[in-house]
Amino acid sequence: MRSIYLAGPDVFYPDFEQLVARKAELVRQRGFLPIYAGVMDYPVAPSKWQTGVAISAVNELLMRGADMLIANLTPFRGLAADTGTAFEIGFMSARDKPIYAYSNASAKHTERIVQFYNGERRIDSSGLPRGSDNTLIEDFEMTDNLMIDGTVALRNGRICVPPDGRDLPFDDLRVFEACLNALVLAECGK
């Protein structure tokens, strides 16, 4: 049975167990094995730092055993995807695995950056957009940073977002399910 690693900041939410159980069931219904952080017990270590390293090692082991990835790019604690999720995308990209992603946020990355600057944006003498602190605003009409969208596109994956332009609650699985369906269609149609 082929497996899908479910990446995202879901583990930080109080209802993580119920949320991941719902996702896992949808994955199983489509004939794939769900793999995700927390599916195995983590080793107990003598310090917080060592515990963190042990968790990282287990998650890398889980990804090594996965055939493909679905990443939750819904912005987490900032403008963009969770940093751990970005690492997981990079890890699976380096292994040349199929990568699919979704976000329950409808705004493009550029729009979120401009919101961060309270709508302030200027065009420099080269025609490039800059924020109030004079840093370049990435403007490629992408869901997240160009390295995230790019690696998904280069692996023939897809990033799904809410179709009606409205943000959805973090635990709403409609966009996740659309992403999963796109993956199944692509992978089973081969």
Side-chain angles (χ1 to χ4, degrees), residues 32-53:
F32 290 85
L33 176 68
I35 299 175
Y36 49 88
V39 74
M40 292 175 49
D41 288 333
Y42 294 113
V44 176
S47 73
K48 286 183 180 183
W49 187 88
Q50 290 169 316
T51 299
V53 170

Side-chain angles (χ1 to χ4, degrees), residues 22-89:
R22 290 170 46 212
K23 285 182 174 183
E25 182 55 31
L26 291 169
V27 170
R28 278 189 213 93
Q29 287 173 2
R30 285 157 179 84
F32 290 85
L33 176 68
I35 299 175
Y36 49 88
V39 74
M40 292 175 49
D41 288 333
Y42 294 113
V44 176
S47 73
K48 286 183 180 183
W49 187 88
Q50 290 169 316
T51 299
V53 170
I55 291 170
S56 179
V58 169
N59 290 347
E60 285 190 24
L61 177 69
L62 292 172
M63 285 187 287
R64 281 188 190 96
D67 297 304
M68 58 202 78
L69 173 84
I70 292 180
N72 180 351
L73 300 179
T74 305
F76 182 69
R77 297 179 180 158
L79 298 173
D82 166 60
T83 54
T85 304
F87 169 82
E88 291 166 327
I89 291 169

